[in-house]
Amino acid sequence: MTAAIRADGLTKRYGDTLALDALDLAVAPGEVYGYLGPNGAGKTTTIRMLLGLHRPSAGHAAIFGIDAWSTPVAAHRRLAYVPGEPFLWPALTGAETLAYLARLHGDSDKAYGDLLVQRFKLDTDKKVRALSKGNRQKVQLIAAFATRADLMILDEPTTGLDPLMEMAFRETVLEAKARGQTVFLSSHILSEVEALCDRVGILRDGRLVDEGTLGELRHLAAQTIDVSFDGPAPDLRGLEGVHVAPAGRSALRLEVSGGVGPVIAALAEHPVATLTSREPSLEEIFLHHYDGSTGSNGRAPH
Amino acid sequence: MRPTSSVARRAFAESRISTGSFALLFAVVAYAQAFGYDASFPTLRDRMQFAESFADNMALRTMYGFPHDLLSTGGYTAWRVGGVLSIVAAAWALLAAIRVLRAEEDSGRQELVLSGIVGRRGAYLAAITAIAAGAAVLWLATLLGLVGGGLDAGGSAFLALAIVSPVPVFAGVGALASQFAPTRRLATGMASAVLALAFVTRVIADTSAGLSWLRWASPLGWVEEMRAFSSARPEVLALPLISGAALLTLAGAIALRRDVGSGLLRSRDRSSPRLGLLSSPVALALRGERGVLVAWLAGVGIFAFVIGSLAKTVAGAGLSADLERELQKVGGAAITTPAGYVGLTFLFLVLALSLFACSQVAAARSEEAEGRLETLFALPVGRRDWLGGRLALAAAATVVLALAAGALAWAGAASQGADVSLSQMLEAGANCLPAALLFGAFGALALALAPRASAAIAYGLVAVAFVWELLGALLGAPGWMLGLSPFHHVGLLPAEPFRAVAALVMLGLAAATALAAAWAFRRRDLSAA
């Protein structure tokens, strides 16, 4: 099956700056893919090359097998895009903008568009120049989702939305997913990605440092175990793959990467009172990759 | 005072390229006229002959104003330089005022400044201070040019002062327009209309018998009434100073009272959908540019009509062959017939249409700078199609303007019973097109290759080429160098024959340049501001 998005060795330099470094990416049709990274990691650069707006310095990108740079118009018939900054025509009203964008796309579901206008509570008689950033973003979201395109490319689409609208956005993405549309969601709102995405890629300094389902990422990242003891806490330093932090006189917090077997064995020799273990949240996985200066393995020592 | 002065310094620094280019233009023009007159008319006899035929020439009066003294280098320079540069100074002033007062608010930056410890009064005064500093730079540049051209320092200082004297008035007009209009674009349109009115008033005063008192009704007429280098009247300077101060005070009072980010004219923020002209990017561009096109049509049309209606009054005087040759150097041939008059003034129409073509390129660039092309090109819209459509629209609009100018010039001439035919005048209008389209194509290539600088490059090329056409011959440049300016290849229709080869070469070059632009535009990264 042809991938909805495929990037091979995608590289972009702006002058001396390496914005994207040999990115390989494959997003399957029907997948909701979360693209995570801090500001300046190269998320928007990736999207601009997926859209053929910027020219790759090396490598190439394809949308459903159609080359993004050499045949952009054909590629764009299969996708819809929501930019992070709402760039619209200030003198047009919301309704006029929706009509214009629908005509340019050529294929748009008017009834679904009307439903989205209701759902996002957009006042379509207002001119764009009088709309707040969040409301402009709604216009872009409605225009994009109304196309029901096979692939939705969303670049931080909810940064200006209030929590109610954020829920409307999630509902809309899940509808698209149920219909079999592919969604590429660049974001740094982790709860959103956690709630919506099947698979997540984490970008850092122009390189994909981690990729997988949330389950896989959790498995790779450190697990947190809080232990309290009857009596003073023992010294557990020196265990392979375990970071130990004291949590009071008789408690420890252990960050375990890899298997927990050695930890259990070590704890068995001590009077354990309580033990709680939890999976890392996406936030912790994310911070794990960006915290401090270490590479992709291990948490930086505190 | 410190934060306010840093706001003023910031505003001044942001306009340094624009003010610097204007200053250079002023210095070069001032120098070349003063130097060129001495070189072209060394003896009193030459000058007498020149003055006799020029004193009553209406074509030259339209462009340069009323000549008070053509026998001295200073008097001649004041006439040739004063009329033109004072208009440019007025345009600079209104653009500068709108930039610091309206564009800053339009972009939302003003909110940031006012949320700090700079008050509204301080911010307004800082803006005005920055304009005053810019005007001082223009004054100094003009003075240096005049003195460099061999004129005495005292007289030069006064002439330079007369040239920048419209600055307070038109800064005031720009400031007031910035209070009324909620957008930069509307403010520029309103203020430019006032400048056009002032220009037309001056032209009528200078060319119509019995109406010379009208000169006092136009700030551009005041410049002439200062009579630099003939019988200087420094007291006239009080007029622009007082009216400028009044306008600026009024604008300041409004600025202190209204909501930041709004204008007194409320923009209509709601409307029921109007779905016309939304079918393609070109249609939307036409929808967005409609107001601008109508304004240009009105401006060019009024100019052409006035030119046409003045054509008949031009005196037909025989000229000696020697003088004819000298005339070539200062403005063209056979300007003593109605047809010749129209032909020469239509050279300014070529300039206007070239600037219009550049303004269309600048409008296309702003679509990119403001990020909208990113939205557009993520849709199934091809880049070449988009640029091609924009250029076709610009070309079509330029053609409409040119033909309208020809038709209205004919209407003006016919109303006075002058002997020119409609087809002749339509040809004269169309004759302006090859050069204007060539400049538009150069602008498009700049857009494709150097997007951020494209507007400056496009306008800059027109300005340099036009100044070179006016000054090159006077400075004794060889023919091939004069030929570098497209303006040099425009036949002065209807007085001169149509230069078919030159027109075809320019059109071919324009087409090739536009194709190259489309090719290069497809291959580069989009670049927002």
Side-chain angles (χ1 to χ4, degrees):
Chain A
M1 195 160 43
T2 315
I5 293 176
R6 173 159 210 104
D8 294 309
L10 199 59
T11 302
K12 183 66 184 177
R13 283 173 198 286
Y14 297 105
D16 292 339
T17 316
L18 184 60
L20 205 60
D21 187 4
L23 175 79
D24 292 320
L25 198 66
V27 177
E31 195 172 26
V32 178
Y33 188 92
Y35 200 47
L36 284 177
N39 303 325
K43 299 195 297 295
T44 300
T45 300
T46 308
I47 289 177
R48 285 189 171 139
M49 287 194 288
L50 294 179
L51 293 170
L53 298 174
H54 285 203
R55 184 182 197 175
S57 309
H60 39 82
I63 304 294
F64 295 108
I66 306 164
D67 191 81
W69 174 256
S70 61
T71 46
V73 173
H76 295 170
R77 288 191 210 286
R78 304 287 304 274
L79 63 81
Y81 166 57
V82 177
E85 286 289 325
F87 297 125
L88 295 167
W89 292 264
L92 297 186
T93 66
E96 287 162 357
T97 308
L98 291 175
Y100 179 57
L101 294 176
R103 274 190 221 179
L104 292 188
H105 197 275
D107 188 19
S108 189
D109 183 340
K110 177 85 170 72
Y112 188 51
D114 291 343
L115 177 88
L116 291 177
V117 167
Q118 300 284 321
R119 180 181 293 167
F120 283 100
K121 298 185 171 56
L122 178 71
D123 178 355
T124 55
D125 279 351
K126 252 192 171 176
K127 291 197 173 170
V128 167
R129 67 162 166 261
L131 293 177
S132 67
K133 183 182 175 194
N135 279 313
R136 289 179 199 191
Q137 224 147 9
K138 289 183 198 171
V139 175
Q140 301 257 37
L141 283 168
I142 294 168
F145 278 97
T147 64
R148 299 195 182 215
D150 296 333
L151 169 64
M152 310 295 301
I153 295 183
L154 314 175
D155 189 4
E156 300 184 11
T158 59
T159 42
L161 297 188
D162 64 40
L164 277 177
M165 291 304 130
E166 167 76 34
M167 294 321 290
F169 168 74
R170 291 185 190 188
E171 188 186 345
T172 310
V173 171
L174 291 174
E175 275 176 9
K177 183 183 173 180
R179 259 189 220 124
Q181 290 169 261
T182 312
V183 179
F184 184 83
L185 173 64
S186 153
S187 179
H188 45 219
I189 300 178
L190 300 161
S191 57
E192 182 177 283
V193 173
E194 208 159 16
L196 296 173
C197 297
D198 304 320
R199 225 150 53 90
V200 176
I202 296 181
L203 196 66
R204 173 179 165 156
D205 296 334
R207 249 177 295 185
L208 207 55
V209 290
D210 213 341
E211 192 187 40
T213 64
L214 280 173
E216 288 165 355
L217 293 184
R218 287 200 172 108
H219 182 73
L220 292 172
Q223 213 178 129
T224 305
I225 301 176
D226 289 314
V227 203
S228 69
F229 302 90
D230 294 325
D235 187 357
L236 292 179
R237 282 174 297 183
L239 282 173
E240 180 88 11
V242 179
H243 176 75
V244 182
R249 239 180 66 76
S250 58
L252 294 173
R253 166 165 288 189
L254 310 173
E255 309 276 1
V256 185
S257 36
V260 291
V263 178
I264 302 294
L267 285 174
E269 298 165 17
H270 300 283
V272 173
T274 63
L275 182 146
T276 58
S277 150
R278 62 183 172 79
E279 288 192 311
S281 67
L282 184 56
E283 186 170 342
E284 280 165 320
I285 299 172
F286 187 76
L287 291 174
H288 164 81
H289 282 295
Y290 297 112
D291 220 16
S293 56
T294 53
S296 56
N297 282 316
R299 186 177 283 263
H302 291 284
Chain B
M1 231 10 236
R2 283 191 66 93
T4 310
S5 70
S6 55
V7 172
R9 254 181 267 139
R10 177 88 228 120
F12 182 68
E14 290 205 342
S15 64
R16 64 188 184 277
I17 292 178
S18 130
T19 305
S21 334
F22 275 91
L24 191 64
L25 176 77
F26 278 40
V28 169
V29 172
Y31 167 80
Q33 291 297 350
F35 176 81
Y37 181 81
D38 260 355
S40 301
F41 308 104
T43 69
L44 185 62
R45 196 178 147 273
D46 296 330
R47 291 176 185 191
M48 292 285 286
Q49 209 177 11
F50 172 76
E52 261 170 43
S53 58
F54 264 47
D56 294 323
N57 188 287
M58 296 299 161
L60 295 168
R61 277 200 199 179
T62 302
M63 287 180 275
Y64 303 121
F66 185 84
H68 293 289
D69 170 18
L70 290 179
L71 295 184
S72 70
T73 309
Y76 168 82
T77 306
W79 172 63
R80 279 301 298 267
V81 170
V84 173
L85 286 190
S86 59
I87 298 171
V88 180
W92 173 84
L94 68 86
L95 292 175
I98 290 167
R99 182 171 49 233
V100 292
L101 291 170
R102 174 45 61 189
E104 283 296 292
E105 272 190 58
D106 228 5
S107 68
R109 284 191 292 268
Q110 191 72 354
E111 250 178 73
L112 197 62
V113 171
L114 290 178
S115 69
I117 53 169
V118 175
R120 286 166 173 238
R121 184 184 302 273
Y124 184 76
L125 289 176
I128 303 307
T129 310
I131 298 170
V137 170
L138 294 186
W139 174 78
L140 192 64
T142 315
L143 173 62
L144 291 176
L146 293 170
V147 172
L151 294 174
D152 75 84
S156 298
F158 180 64
L159 173 56
L161 214 49
I163 285 170
V164 297
S165 72
V167 168
V169 182
F170 285 95
V173 168
L176 207 54
S178 299
Q179 306 311 314
F180 280 97
T183 61
R184 177 183 197 166
R185 201 171 173 149
L186 183 57
T188 309
M190 289 166 65
S192 306
V194 175
L195 176 57
L197 191 67
F199 175 65
V200 170
T201 307
R202 197 215 74 187
V203 169
I204 294 174
D206 285 341
T207 50
S208 310
L211 286 179
S212 61
W213 55 269
L214 258 180
R215 215 173 281 145
W216 294 102
S218 166
L220 300 175
W222 299 342
V223 176
E224 296 180 77
E225 288 300 342
M226 288 173 200
R227 306 193 179 186
F229 279 113
S230 50
S231 46
R233 294 198 286 193
E235 64 275 13
V236 180
L237 276 172
L239 283 174
L241 285 177
I242 291 169
S243 48
L247 286 167
L248 286 169
T249 308
L250 179 61
I254 298 172
L256 295 190
R257 278 167 186 74
R258 67 179 170 80
D259 296 348
V260 173
S262 73
L264 289 186
L265 297 175
R266 287 237 153 260
S267 54
R268 282 204 323 140
D269 285 342
R270 299 184 61 83
S271 94
S272 47
R274 287 169 299 133
L275 299 177
L277 289 177
L278 285 178
S279 56
S280 68
V282 178
L284 184 64
L286 180 59
R287 182 177 162 132
E289 296 290 308
R290 265 181 309 189
V292 176
L293 294 181
V294 169
W296 272 90
L297 203 54
V300 165
I302 291 171
F303 175 76
F305 187 84
V306 169
I307 297 304
S309 55
L310 293 175
K312 181 75 189 301
T313 61
V314 171
L319 297 174
S320 70
D322 274 1
L323 199 57
E324 195 93 41
R325 215 171 32 249
E326 291 308 325
L327 285 177
Q328 299 264 11
K329 293 188 182 178
V330 293
I335 49 177
T336 49
T337 65
Y341 170 76
V342 171
L344 184 57
T345 43
F346 263 38
L347 195 58
F348 280 74
L349 188 63
V350 182
L351 173 66
L353 294 181
S354 302
L355 292 174
F356 171 77
C358 293
S359 80
Q360 287 300 300
V361 170
R365 164 60 195 159
S366 74
E367 287 278 290
E368 183 180 14
E370 288 160 24
R372 287 190 290 271
L373 283 192
E374 194 164 312
T375 303
L376 210 55
F377 292 154
L379 290 156
V381 172
R383 288 203 205 183
R384 269 186 291 240
D385 291 349
W386 176 81
L387 186 63
R390 274 316 280 251
L391 294 181
L393 177 67
T398 312
V399 171
V400 169
L401 286 178
L403 295 180
L408 281 159
W410 171 80
S415 74
Q416 302 297 315
D419 178 29
V420 285
S421 72
L422 176 60
S423 64
Q424 242 184 337
M425 293 313 298
L426 287 177
E427 275 166 27
N431 179 52
C432 301
L433 287 170
L437 295 177
L438 182 57
F439 281 112
F442 285 154
L445 190 60
L447 173 71
L449 296 177
R452 289 197 174 86
S454 57
I457 292 173
Y459 287 122
L461 278 177
V462 175
V464 167
F466 193 72
V467 168
W468 183 237
E469 168 66 8
L470 290 186
L471 300 183
L474 210 55
L475 296 177
W480 68 268
M481 278 180 77
L482 291 175
L484 290 176
S485 168
F487 290 103
H488 197 66
H489 303 289
V490 179
L492 301 180
L493 262 61
E496 292 180 1
F498 176 57
R499 297 189 199 165
V501 174
L504 284 176
V505 168
M506 283 196 277
L507 283 176
L509 199 55
T513 308
L515 285 177
W519 181 80
F521 181 63
R522 170 65 186 88
R523 296 177 62 82
R524 73 161 164 85
D525 293 349
L526 277 193
S527 107

